[in-house]
């Protein structure tokens, strides 16, 4: 897998031979992005299952489930592999199927989502919900790609997304390679851009969507949602059904990962924060459903009231 920590300056690959290797890659953000870590976990289980007995299989699942707490796709993928293992079917075939489905889902999300992008649009996005964060093509970036493929003239503003800089390093890397007009801004600039009337629509990804439509996504997403409402900019979330967690009633029940302070206090070898200063580094925040214009899924766009529309779209898929 490509080492996303090294992008955009280096394209280097990490080989994972065991589930332990995959768990380390997820935990250290070699691979990140809700759907992508679900796919990686499924592949990790498949790497080990050839040699493992049942007890080891479930221990492998627990190892991967312990890597990151917020993205529900990780747990959804592991539970799916457990069902297949219990049914005696081939685990590695299921892992490949899960990956291929995620790619197809992203393309479907793109098709459905392109309709919310005006013919000439300036789209703001936050973090990276692109090919690097999914099986391929992306969820939020899938919407942007599909709009461009449909002939729409799209300019993207990518929030750099401190502290891990998924927007500056990863979204910009993906979109520049696609030849899509991309401008990186600091997270603090989004408000002025919207106030100047330079954003037509916001599209972001998600790590977990609660049954009422509350959305957990990269830290700073809530800020963007509040700014979008203040400036009358529609705020959309693009995510596959594997991101929807109907068992969690609302956003208060979503576990928010706190990551190592070093992600904030250092940029490479450069110290950014003096010793003695504390930092708070939640990797995600929760945007209340009331800020969301629609949730774009592979089965169509869910509109408020989300408790009903999400249940309807998930029927038979949870
Ligand atoms: C389609 S990716 C969804 C989501 O995952 C990212 O988090 P991280 O980079 O910490 O794995 C970000 O919140 C994306 O929007």
């Amino acid at each position: 897998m490509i080492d996303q920590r090294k992008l955009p300056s280096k394209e280097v690959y990490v080989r994972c031979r065991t589930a332990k290797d995959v768990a380390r890659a997820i935990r250290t953000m070699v691979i990140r992005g809700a759907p992508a870590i679900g796919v990686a976990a499924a592949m990790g289980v498949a790497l080990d299952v050839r040699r493992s007995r049942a007890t080891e299989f479930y221990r492998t699942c627990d190892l991967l489930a312990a890597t990151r707490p917020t993205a529900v796709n990780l747990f959804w993928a592991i539970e799916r592999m457990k069902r297949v293992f219990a049914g005696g079917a081939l685990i590695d075939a299921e892992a490949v199927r899960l990956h291929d489905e995620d790619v197809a889902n992203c393309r479907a999300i793109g098709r459905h989502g392109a309709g919310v992008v005006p013919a000439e649009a300036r789209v703001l996005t936050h973090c990276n919900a692109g090919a690097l964060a999914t099986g391929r093509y992306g969820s939020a970036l899938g919407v942007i790609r599909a709009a461009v493929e449909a002939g729409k003239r799209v300019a993207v503003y990518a929030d750099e997304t401190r502290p891990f800089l998924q927007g500056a390093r990863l979204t910009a890397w993906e979109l520049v390679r696609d030849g899509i007009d991309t401008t990186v801004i600091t997270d603090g600039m989004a408000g002025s851009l919207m106030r100047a009337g330079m954003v037509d629509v916001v599209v972001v990804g998600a790590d977990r969507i609660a049954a009422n439509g509350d959305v957990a996504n990269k830290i700073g997403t809530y800020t963007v949602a509040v700014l979008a409402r203040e400036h009358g900019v529609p705020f959309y979330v693009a995510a596959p059904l594997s991101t929807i967690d109907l068992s969690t009633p609302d956003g208060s029940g979503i576990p928010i990962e706190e990551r190592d302070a070093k992600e904030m206090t250092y940029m490479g070898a450069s110290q950014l924060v003096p010793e003695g200063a504390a930092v708070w580094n939640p990797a995600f925040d929760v945007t209340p459903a009331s800020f969301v214009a629609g949730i774009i899924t592979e089965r169509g766009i869910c509109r408020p009231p989300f408790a009903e529309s999400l249940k309807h779209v998930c029927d038979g898929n949870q």
Side-chain angles (χ1 to χ4, degrees):
M1 61 177 72
I2 196 165
D3 187 341
Q4 299 189 31
R5 301 172 300 181
K6 302 291 193 317
L7 290 173
S9 52
K10 291 191 196 119
E11 291 181 34
V12 297
Y13 288 79
V14 169
R15 179 181 295 280
C16 294
R17 291 185 172 81
T18 64
K20 207 169 182 177
D21 293 344
V22 173
R24 185 180 312 109
I26 293 171
R27 205 171 35 251
T28 58
M29 309 277 271
V30 167
I31 187 167
R32 33 64 49 200
I37 64 179
V39 172
M43 298 291 183
V45 169
L47 280 171
D48 272 18
V49 77
R50 291 192 193 93
R51 302 183 294 282
S52 76
R53 295 189 308 277
T55 47
E56 285 173 38
F57 171 81
Y58 291 104
R59 198 176 303 126
T60 295
C61 290
D62 292 345
L63 172 77
L64 288 157
T67 52
R68 297 186 73 191
T70 304
V72 71
N73 317 60
L74 175 68
F75 309 100
W76 168 84
I78 291 168
E79 288 309 310
R80 175 165 160 174
M81 301 308 275
K82 284 180 179 176
R83 288 196 298 274
V84 169
F85 182 78
L90 285 176
I91 286 287
D92 40 5
E94 187 66 17
V96 171
R97 209 171 1 255
L98 190 147
H99 169 268
D100 294 349
E101 283 174 15
D102 186 70
V103 177
N105 290 342
C106 284
R107 288 193 176 277
I109 289 167
R111 282 195 302 276
H112 290 301
V116 310
V117 178
E120 279 202 45
R122 296 152 302 179
V123 183
L124 176 80
T125 191
H126 189 77
C127 196
N128 170 259
L132 290 167
T134 61
R136 201 178 314 132
Y137 199 70
S139 50
L141 295 198
V143 169
I144 290 168
R145 288 182 163 116
V148 170
E149 289 159 9
K152 297 187 176 183
R153 293 185 57 196
V154 176
V156 176
Y157 286 100
D159 276 353
E160 67 175 355
T161 317
R162 283 271 304 152
F164 203 72
L165 303 178
Q166 290 93 329
R169 296 188 305 106
L170 306 178
T171 290
W173 181 78
E174 284 197 41
L175 296 181
V176 164
R177 283 157 60 97
D178 284 9
I180 294 175
D181 178 349
T182 304
T183 304
V184 175
I185 61 171
T186 68
D187 302 341
M189 294 173 185
S192 297
L193 202 65
M194 290 191 216
R195 187 160 180 253
M198 293 174 65
V199 178
D200 300 299
V201 61
V202 174
V203 185
V204 298
D207 290 81
R208 190 182 303 221
I209 300 170
N212 73 336
D214 290 350
V215 177
N217 196 50
K218 184 54 50 201
I219 188 75
T221 302
Y222 170 59
T223 311
V224 170
V226 170
L227 289 168
R229 170 184 277 184
E230 173 64 19
H231 297 288
V233 175
F235 177 90
Y236 283 93
V237 175
L241 299 187
S242 54
T243 310
I244 299 170
D245 175 10
L246 295 181
S247 68
T248 298
D250 61 59
S252 66
I254 298 175
I256 300 297
E257 177 185 12
E258 286 208 31
R259 292 194 61 87
D260 190 316
K262 283 200 172 58
E263 285 188 0
M264 284 182 61
T265 55
Y266 280 83
M267 184 82 67
S270 305
Q271 184 172 350
L272 304 178
V273 175
E275 301 298 335
V279 296
W280 182 48
N281 188 19
F284 303 99
D285 58 24
V286 174
T287 298
S290 59
F291 287 85
V292 181
I295 297 172
I296 306 162
T297 76
E298 61 271 32
R299 289 191 182 171
I301 301 177
C302 295
R303 298 280 182 180
F306 291 115
E308 292 165 26
S309 58
L310 290 175
K311 190 172 181 313
H312 175 72
V313 82
C314 286
D315 271 355
N317 191 69
Q318 286 284 312

